[in-house]
Amino acid sequence: MNSNLNVQHFMILGSARTGSNLLLSLLSGHPQIKTYGEVFNLDTLPEENLREALEDPIKFFLQKVCKAHRPEIAAVGFKMFYDHLTKDYLQKPVDVSRAAPRLHEKLTEFSRFVEDNYPWEILDDRFRATWEFLRADRSFKVIHLKRRNMLYTLVSLKKAFSTDQWWSLKSSPQITPPIHLEPEECCRYFDKLDNFATEADRAFADHPKIDVTYEDLTAKQEDTLQRIFMFLNVPCAPVTTRMKKQNLAPLREAVDNYDQLKRYFRETRWDIFFE
């Protein structure tokens, strides 16, 4: 990936609602770092770009990320979520039937477009080839971003789908009503996310890689950023972001059946998510 450009490429690997927007916003404030968002967040792409990404995702990636940058740029980063370029992306990790109307319509149109124009067998081959391309190129570094409490991730994800608000610059957080979670939905999500993270660690074990948690990024931001800057071989520099945390309510207030879930998961591997 670096054969023609004297920059360090890096990937932020993880899942939605683990602080990836916050991390990307902070890193983009560094004078020697250039960042891109979710290159393969397909249902947000205009149709022309979507067709390019589906026809040849490797070419699309190279054109978007691996191009000439200003001379002072030393590191270039992009985001990949576990479900990008997989069937899980098309199915979504949570029930979207109650998504915000505009978002639900957009997701429906996207699914219909893909189903009408691209047989899954063909897409699957292209998607697998792209992931293999990324795994095979050990010249780029991996920042594996995780959140220790996956219940917070699930709650945040469901609220984002229901409001279609994925980040905020407002100092006062948006107030939303508590959500209801079925134990089975929690189990499916926890298992899926845990398996995704384990597989990602295995797939990129031979890459230069560091683990970063959402909790450290928010509570120990300066130390965490210094560790990332050292990992990327760029000088430490003060960076700021205008992004604000959206969901400040404790889990007990954010989930209307919190006590039921706490009892259900007692003495299981997931009971650590409940205070």
Side-chain angles (χ1 to χ4, degrees):
M1 193 179 292
N2 287 336
S3 57
N4 298 318
L5 300 173
N6 188 28
V7 297
Q8 173 63 64
H9 287 88
F10 67 94
M11 174 172 66
I12 298 174
L13 178 63
S15 68
R17 318 315 291 168
T18 55
S20 63
N21 284 330
L22 172 62
L23 177 55
L24 208 69
S25 176
L26 288 164
L27 294 182
S28 67
H30 193 289
Q32 294 187 21
I33 297 177
K34 172 66 178 178
T35 61
Y36 294 92
E38 300 163 49
V39 179
F40 291 110
N41 192 7
L42 300 177
D43 54 40
T44 66
L45 296 177
E47 184 174 327
E48 180 181 355
N49 295 136
L50 176 58
R51 288 187 181 274
E52 293 173 354
L54 294 176
E55 292 290 341
D56 192 338
I58 295 178
K59 180 180 178 182
F60 179 77
F61 168 79
L62 293 173
Q63 290 176 338
K64 292 294 182 181
V65 178
C66 300
K67 55 188 177 182
H69 294 89
R70 302 189 310 275
E72 65 269 23
I73 297 300
V76 175
F78 61 98
K79 278 203 294 183
M80 285 289 288
F81 287 165
Y82 304 134
D83 63 346
H84 283 176
L85 301 185
T86 72
K87 201 164 190 175
D88 289 285
Y89 181 86
L90 303 178
Q91 297 171 340
K92 300 306 177 187
V94 297
D95 179 15
V96 298
S97 60
R98 296 186 179 181
R102 186 169 62 92
L103 177 59
H104 188 273
E105 180 181 359
K106 183 175 70 172
L107 294 174
T108 301
E109 291 177 354
F110 166 74
S111 297
R112 186 180 300 118
F113 174 83
V114 173
E115 291 172 1
D116 290 347
N117 293 279
Y118 297 91
W120 171 247
E121 293 75 14
I122 294 177
L123 284 183
D124 190 38
D125 287 342
R126 294 172 181 173
F127 289 174
R128 290 177 185 272
T130 306
W131 275 108
E132 182 54 39
F133 169 80
L134 293 174
R135 285 192 290 266
D137 188 344
R138 298 173 186 171
S139 68
F140 74 90
K141 298 183 175 182
V142 176
I143 300 173
H144 195 178
L145 182 61
K146 305 175 185 178
R147 193 166 184 168
R148 294 191 185 102
N149 192 327
M150 289 191 285
L151 181 58
Y152 271 113
T153 308
L154 176 57
V155 170
S156 180
L157 185 62
K158 289 185 73 74
K159 285 182 177 289
F161 271 113
S162 67
T163 62
D164 198 17
Q165 295 292 320
W166 300 87
W167 52 273
S168 176
L169 301 179
K170 297 180 180 179
S171 56
S172 56
Q174 182 181 26
I175 299 175
T176 58
I179 65 171
H180 186 87
L181 293 172
E182 295 297 335
E184 294 77 12
E185 180 181 18
C186 294
C187 286
R188 288 194 302 271
Y189 183 80
F190 296 159
D191 288 339
K192 174 73 74 174
L193 201 57
D194 186 61
N195 289 337
F196 269 144
T198 300
E199 171 58 23
D201 279 329
R202 186 200 64 78
F204 292 96
D206 293 329
H207 285 247
K209 182 170 66 70
I210 60 169
D211 288 346
V212 174
T213 67
Y214 169 87
E215 289 81 1
D216 286 345
L217 183 61
T218 53
K220 306 174 184 177
Q221 191 168 104
E222 184 175 349
D223 290 344
T224 301
L225 287 172
Q226 287 184 0
R227 187 163 67 95
I228 294 173
F229 293 152
M230 292 179 62
F231 176 67
L232 297 178
N233 294 321
V234 298
C236 292
V239 293
T240 59
T241 178
R242 295 175 57 209
M243 292 188 65
K244 304 296 181 181
K245 188 173 182 179
Q246 289 180 277
N247 300 308
L248 299 178
L251 286 172
R252 185 176 293 277
E253 298 177 13
V255 181
D256 64 12
N257 61 327
Y258 178 86
D259 289 331
Q260 175 202 3
L261 296 175
K262 184 174 182 177
R263 289 192 299 271
Y264 182 90
F265 287 103
R266 184 172 296 149
E267 297 183 0
T268 72
R269 63 182 302 204
W270 308 127
D271 65 354
I272 60 174
F273 299 156
F274 298 85
E275 301 163 354

